[in-house]
Amino acid sequence: MERYNVKETEAKWQKAWADAGTFEVTEDRSKPKYYVLEMFPYPSGRIHMGHVRNYTLGDMVARYKRAKGFNVLHPMGWDAFGLPAENAAFERRVHPDTWTRENIAAMRAQLKVMGLSYDWTREIATCAPEYYKHEQKMFLDFVEAGLAYRKESWVNWDPEENTVLANEQVIDGRGWRSGALVEKRLLSQWFLKITEYAEDLLSAIEGLDRWPDRVRLMQHNWIGRSEGAKVRFELEGRDDALEVFTTRPDTLFGASFCAIAANHPLSSALAADNPDLAAFVAECNRMGTSEVALETAEKRGFDTGLRAVHPLDPTWTVPVYVANFVLMEYGSGAIFGCPAHDQRDLDFARKYGLEVTPVVLPPDADAASFEIGTEAFVGEGTIYNSRFLDGLSVDDAKSRVIDSLEEMASGSREITYRLRDWGVSRQRYWGCPVPMIHCESCGIVPVPEADLPVTLPTDVDFDAPGNPLDNHPTWKHVTCPVCGGHAVRETDTFDTFFESSWYFARFCDAQGETAFDADKANYWLPVDQYIGGIEHAVLHLLYSRFFTRALKRCGYLDLDEPFAGLLTQGMVIHETYKDPDGSWLFPTEVTRAEGGKWVTVDDQRPVVVGRIEKMSKSKRNVVDPEAIIDTYGADTARLFMLSDSPPERDLEWTEAGVEGAWRFVNRLWRMMTDAGNGGGEIGPLGMARPDAVDPSVAEAERAIHKTVKSVAESIERFRFNAAVAQVRELVNTLADVPSTATGSSWLRRFGYETVVRLIEPMTPHLAQELWTRLGGTGMLADVAWPGFDPALVIDDVLTIAVQVNGKTRGTIELPRDAEKDAAEAAALELPGVVRALAGKTPKRVVVVPNRIVNVVG
RNA sequence: GGCCCCGUGGCGGAAUUGGUAGACGCACGCGACUUAAAAUCGCGAGCCUAUGGCGUGGGGGUUCGAGUCCCCCCGGGGCCACCA
């Protein structure tokens, strides 16, 4: 019997698809379009299991939608700028460009072996000038439109990477990649005005109904809308005022101090004449923002000696502090403190002996005796100690006090967002140059469009600290495009999230002279199904949503939301292993000895099996996809990726699970190619259904129709594991039909063909090979998804459960839509029911037609 | 600290969305084939003190009926976090 030659077969069909251009697409307006996109990879050198899962999921959707008659765009490219290339340059003396291109070539070859239905003619790499020249143009358009601007600001500085980080790249006070403690520095940086779209980005989340709730919530929180008031506190003896933001204007009569951030302009001004204050400010800037630092850090303040006048009572003043817990970046960088109803303010007040006046009375408290101890009261209650606000609820007091402030012109309603503008400048080499020129006489001027792209120099030195572009002897020296005098280029490059914020549009017209043709982009976009990791829930997805709006404003396309549907896949996880010395071991270094004990392969030393965790190089719990595909083939790897867990959940990679998938691949092969072993003859191509068939054949025929229906439903709901299970169930059913049954060879033909069409999105090579061997012609990928007969997915006779008081006591067979009386009568005759009733007359019998009978005793 | 998710056999997970809990697979056991093993095929299997009882983390509730809905608790996870 011929064995399934995976390698040969998979290679054969991959070549056939490529030669035939099967997956190349154009804007075919006769079909509905469907754009499937997986988050494109960083070319790190080799694909890992996370990639395999991601692209398998995408290919499942792409091939299914294609079979359903959609014109499917399914492209792939490379997110090719980034720091690792520079690190490689430093460590291995290889140019980032060379390193990146070699990695791309290696990874492309690995992807091609997976049999993914990509239109490779659209492949892009973001490090190519043909790609990034367009984003330089976009940036100039953004500057023109007021969406990009330069400002001096306190930035997060990663001392290890020698670069600025966006807020989103600071995790727990540390650089997201280096892990180094982030410092504050004052630098001139380019920003994109994402805050201008804060409200729009927030309210549009509601319309993203095919996004996971989790991601929508994360974006919601990240934008962080707060409703409150802006309140003016005049400064006694000065002609300026302090502007504070508060979400609790109702507690204004409980104010006992004001506090400003260390970096507040007023702090800086006062510090200029006050060395003690200057020292305090410097100390605040040094303070870490890690979780530990924040929890242990005391609320500290420096009394400026200034007094702020209460906005609702000119005779009332409070002290003004510079405080280490006030953030310049949020609100106005200044607060008023109401210790009774805010924990931080309370801690601060207790430390500096400031007044604590409660102004919100808890519902069951007594006004005469209620006191604040060490915990602030932040709940709902009735306002008191607050003059004209007394007796109001918190909400009523808020709006009432804002009305008064507005009348007196000392405050107004204000909405503040946590979201900050996106700082895009990076002091790195391997990124897209910011196309700007600094001229001493003309200021900052854009590089003329005709001079784009501004390309990176190739002869750079990576050994010196800092930015190689800045260190380069000649690159930055240019003539000013306005006055012709000497000028220098901007030596910063863009944050790499810049490239990934529009690549989905470039795929619509990947080889075009312009960024993309608006007609093509408008045809393909939005991406119908985007698939990738949850780690991009905020950064990449939020930037892309903003970028799309910005591009719309600049006339590039007509679209707000780039991704209509989003699927966030779980991680691929694996057991961890350690040897007796505590060193991590690769899965290939351990094995199961007699008795189930884990030992090392080499010398049989005992192995400690640890937690099941995300695959990571440091813990060595990685499995190389290439080795798996080499052994079992791409189809087996793909099938396992789909079958064990639903996509959003983590998937544990196990050798046994892969073996299971491998067995199924071979089982299908044997079943359909070897009548002797598979159990029965397969009818000839085009064989018609016999008029008379055995009941077992008729039953299996129904199973085929039901499976066609349920597999499609499962795929539509991304329950790929269920879809695989349903196919397996059908295969079991087909195998059980006796070969002697009348109509069995017809059934096999029908059943096998159907199975092959159902598994095409999962295991495309096997499906195509079997399709051809069953007599099918051409590409199975071009064959439509099978249909089903609605009459055959509905059973004529149903098995209905019969319960007594909610406990199942047996089942009855009933024709579909049987009379309630008939169902009741049949149910009451069941021995199990008679026994459970023990001679008692049922009080009531609930009959839900075609569903259930419940006898209430 | 705030907000949000999730707890189903030895394991991954199903369950028509309130209607026979445990599909499908993994692991396991038994049998067939084999000199033997592998592969393959067949059978078995939630648990228990088994013609019955108990079972979806625990407790309560709604309902004829709850894995599914509501309340409380326990456990695990995620995101954000000196955000005024």
Side-chain angles (χ1 to χ4, degrees):
Chain A
M1 175 198 154
E2 187 190 352
R3 286 194 57 191
Y4 181 43
N5 189 329
V6 182
K7 277 204 159 159
E8 219 170 76
T9 308
E10 293 192 346
K12 175 176 72 183
W13 291 115
Q14 283 160 17
K15 182 170 185 306
W17 293 325
D19 290 347
T22 305
F23 302 112
E24 290 167 26
V25 284
T26 54
E27 298 73 35
D28 176 354
R29 283 162 211 278
S30 69
K31 288 192 220 170
K33 70 93 184 178
Y34 199 88
Y35 186 176
V36 189
L37 184 65
E38 296 107 59
M39 291 180 184
F40 68 162
Y42 177 78
S44 55
R46 300 184 65 75
I47 61 166
H48 53 66
M49 282 298 179
H51 293 129
V52 173
R53 190 175 193 196
N54 195 174
Y55 310 144
T56 297
L57 295 172
D59 207 45
M60 175 90 185
V61 174
R63 287 178 178 266
Y64 168 75
K65 286 292 178 181
R66 198 182 146 80
K68 288 291 257 184
F70 289 87
N71 189 33
V72 173
L73 173 58
H74 188 210
M76 180 44 73
W78 311 95
D79 190 13
F81 274 137
L83 200 54
E86 278 184 73
N87 293 340
F90 179 75
E91 287 160 15
R92 298 188 229 170
R93 328 302 304 171
V94 52
H95 195 277
D97 187 66
T98 313
W99 185 82
T100 303
R101 285 178 192 287
E102 284 173 1
N103 286 350
I104 288 174
M107 290 174 75
R108 183 195 299 117
Q110 289 187 303
L111 289 191
K112 291 212 169 176
V113 169
M114 284 186 63
L116 303 161
S117 65
Y118 293 132
D119 178 352
W120 282 104
T121 65
R122 293 171 187 262
E123 180 184 357
I124 55 174
T126 58
C127 62
E130 297 75 42
Y131 181 84
Y132 69 70
K133 70 179 179 189
H134 303 299
E135 85 187 32
Q136 290 178 337
K137 169 77 165 66
M138 287 170 192
F139 180 74
L140 297 181
D141 290 338
F142 291 170
V143 171
E144 184 98 349
L147 288 169
Y149 65 98
R150 191 173 169 84
K151 78 170 176 193
E152 182 137 287
S153 72
W154 289 92
V155 295
N156 305 302
W157 179 262
D158 186 322
E160 205 157 296
E161 294 192 7
N162 283 318
T163 188
V164 163
L165 298 175
N167 286 311
E168 289 85 341
Q169 293 166 337
V170 179
I171 292 149
D172 231 6
R174 290 173 181 275
W176 68 321
R177 248 182 341 222
S178 71
L181 277 174
V182 167
E183 299 168 3
K184 292 272 172 210
R185 282 207 188 176
L186 194 60
L187 279 182
S188 261
Q189 303 284 308
W190 288 101
F191 285 83
L192 295 192
K193 232 177 188 171
I194 190 169
T195 54
E196 190 167 321
Y197 290 89
E199 189 59 48
D200 187 26
L201 289 168
L202 182 69
S203 58
I205 290 173
E206 209 177 322
L208 297 173
D209 53 356
R210 292 202 295 116
W211 280 39
D213 287 342
R214 196 153 65 114
V215 175
R216 303 203 302 172
L217 183 72
M218 282 161 75
Q219 295 223 345
H220 189 276
N221 291 342
W222 191 264
I223 295 168
R225 184 182 199 269
S226 285
E227 283 187 36
K230 190 165 67 176
V231 185
R232 255 172 92 84
F233 280 74
E234 299 291 338
L235 290 169
E236 200 176 46
R238 294 171 61 111
D239 48 14
D240 54 347
L242 215 50
E243 194 136 275
V244 309
F245 173 73
T246 178
T247 55
R248 294 297 303 272
D250 54 304
T251 64
L252 207 45
F253 286 108
S256 59
F257 66 95
C258 280
I260 59 177
N263 296 327
H264 194 279
L266 181 59
S267 307
S268 312
L270 294 171
D273 306 323
N274 185 338
D276 291 343
L277 178 54
F280 180 76
V281 167
E283 202 181 324
C284 289
N285 282 337
R286 264 200 310 278
M287 193 184 74
T289 50
S290 71
E291 193 178 348
V292 190
L294 289 178
E295 254 171 36
T296 53
E298 261 183 299
K299 306 276 173 285
R300 292 183 54 208
F302 186 99
D303 191 345
T304 61
L306 294 176
R307 306 283 299 181
V309 181
H310 197 282
L312 298 169
D313 181 350
T315 67
W316 178 359
T317 65
V318 295
V320 177
Y321 284 81
V322 174
N324 64 351
F325 66 94
V326 179
L327 306 172
M328 189 60 223
E329 301 84 30
Y330 185 75
S332 57
I335 62 160
F336 85 81
C338 174
H341 306 292
D342 182 288
Q343 192 59 45
R344 283 160 314 171
D345 295 351
L346 183 63
D347 294 347
F348 189 81
R350 291 297 186 216
K351 184 172 165 77
Y352 292 99
L354 299 164
E355 234 174 285
V356 179
T357 313
V359 291
V360 183
L361 189 65
D364 46 2
D366 174 48
S369 61
F370 180 64
E371 272 181 30
I372 298 290
T374 53
E375 273 195 28
F377 173 67
V378 295
E380 282 291 323
T382 310
I383 304 293
Y384 73 131
N385 292 339
S386 294
R387 309 185 191 182
F388 65 93
L389 300 178
D390 284 355
L392 294 178
S393 69
V394 166
D395 279 348
D396 289 345
K398 278 181 184 169
S399 83
R400 179 74 170 276
V401 76
I402 296 173
D403 290 345
S404 300
L405 289 168
E406 283 179 342
E407 275 168 37
M408 301 164 66
S410 23
S412 58
R413 251 165 258 278
E414 174 92 349
I415 293 162
T416 299
Y417 300 89
R418 212 190 71 108
L419 184 71
R420 321 276 158 76
D421 274 340
W422 173 19
V424 294
S425 300
R426 295 291 180 276
Q427 292 68 45
R428 307 299 335 172
Y429 166 75
W430 195 232
C432 170
V434 178
M436 285 288 172
I437 290 169
H438 299 259
C439 171
E440 275 184 30
S441 34
C442 309
I444 300 171
V445 295
V447 172
E449 221 181 296
D451 293 348
L452 294 182
V454 176
T455 55
L456 293 165
T458 53
D459 53 331
V460 286
D461 174 15
F462 293 100
D463 293 336
N467 181 355
L469 285 182
D470 200 33
N471 296 339
H472 192 276
T474 56
W475 183 78
K476 67 181 172 186
H477 300 288
V478 290
T479 54
C480 171
V482 177
C483 69
H486 175 256
V488 292
R489 284 191 191 287
E490 173 82 49
T491 58
D492 288 351
T493 50
F494 288 130
D495 177 3
T496 57
F497 279 110
F498 214 103
E499 283 82 56
S500 56
S501 292
W502 70 282
Y503 78 107
F504 46 87
R506 180 67 181 166
F507 277 136
C508 300
D509 184 19
Q511 313 301 336
E513 283 303 308
T514 58
F516 44 82
D517 178 83
D519 283 345
K520 290 180 178 175
N522 289 331
Y523 170 83
W524 287 114
L525 292 171
V527 173
D528 295 277
Q529 191 59 53
Y530 198 30
I531 305 171
I534 186 79
E535 66 273 18
H536 292 111
V538 179
L539 305 173
H540 161 59
L541 291 169
L542 192 60
Y543 290 150
S544 297
R545 294 181 62 215
F546 156 69
F547 219 89
T548 303
R549 286 163 166 80
L551 288 176
K552 182 184 180 184
R553 189 193 284 193
C554 295
Y556 281 80
L557 40 69
D558 185 21
L559 179 80
D560 288 319
E561 290 294 341
F563 312 121
L566 176 68
L567 177 63
T568 49
Q569 96 219 28
M571 299 179 296
V572 181
I573 55 178
H574 197 283
E575 268 182 340
T576 50
Y577 310 100
K578 275 185 183 178
D579 70 10
D581 305 332
S583 310
W584 299 106
L585 294 166
F586 288 106
T588 47
E589 295 176 313
V590 303
T591 188
R592 252 193 162 134
E594 303 279 325
K597 287 257 185 358
W598 287 93
V599 295
T600 55
V601 175
D602 291 349
D603 44 14
Q604 312 289 303
R605 289 187 300 159
V607 166
V608 182
V609 177
R611 288 180 45 176
I612 301 164
E613 292 184 60
K614 178 183 183 174
M615 285 189 177
S616 77
K617 278 182 218 149
S618 61
K619 294 193 174 154
R620 301 201 164 178
N621 60 338
V622 287
V623 175
D624 179 20
E626 197 166 286
I628 294 296
I629 292 171
D630 201 51
T631 310
Y632 300 101
D635 285 341
T636 296
R638 294 170 58 126
L639 184 63
F640 178 64
M641 281 293 179
L642 295 168
S643 53
D644 248 33
S645 293
E648 315 79 34
R649 247 184 265 186
D650 288 350
L651 173 80
E652 188 190 351
W653 184 274
T654 61
E655 191 70 14
V658 180
E659 289 280 356
W662 171 237
R663 272 201 293 275
F664 187 60
V665 165
N666 283 287
R667 183 180 179 201
L668 287 173
W669 169 263
R670 276 195 309 276
M671 187 182 205
M672 297 191 199
T673 59
D674 181 9
N677 195 17
E681 289 298 326
I682 308 166
L685 191 63
M687 181 182 185
R689 184 189 191 277
D691 291 335
V693 297
D694 272 11
S696 66
V697 169
E699 192 59 35
E701 180 186 12
R702 284 178 174 277
I704 293 169
H705 287 269
K706 284 181 195 171
T707 306
V708 168
K709 180 169 187 281
S710 63
V711 167
E713 284 167 358
S714 295
I715 295 175
E716 301 271 1
R717 292 167 58 210
F718 305 130
R719 310 300 292 265
F720 303 141
N721 56 328
V724 172
Q726 286 146 5
V727 171
R728 296 183 95 126
E729 210 173 348
L730 176 61
V731 168
N732 290 344
T733 302
L734 295 176
D736 286 344
V737 173
S739 44
T740 51
T742 308
S744 72
S745 75
W746 162 79
L747 181 87
R748 287 209 163 74
R749 159 140 295 280
F750 177 39
Y752 293 174
E753 275 187 23
T754 306
V755 166
V756 159
R757 289 159 75 184
L758 295 182
I759 62 170
E760 192 267 342
M762 307 168 188
T763 54
H765 311 87
L766 175 70
Q768 173 70 58
E769 179 67 19
L770 291 175
W771 171 256
T772 303
R773 286 181 182 244
L774 288 171
T777 51
M779 295 303 178
L780 181 56
D782 292 328
V783 175
W785 190 254
F788 61 86
D789 181 347
L792 291 178
V793 299
I794 299 165
D795 289 317
D796 306 326
V797 177
L798 300 166
T799 306
I800 307 285
V802 180
Q803 304 179 328
V804 177
N805 294 324
K807 286 196 175 68
T808 304
R809 298 294 177 180
T811 58
I812 50 175
E813 301 273 312
L814 282 179
R816 166 162 287 278
D817 299 327
E819 291 296 321
K820 282 193 175 190
D821 291 351
E824 183 172 333
L828 290 173
E829 275 170 24
L830 273 180
V833 172
V834 172
R835 209 181 309 128
L837 282 173
K840 281 181 277 185
T841 318
K843 287 189 193 127
R844 184 183 159 196
V845 179
V846 179
V847 180
V848 182
N850 304 328
R851 276 276 164 85
I852 203 156
V853 178
N854 192 7
V855 181
V856 185

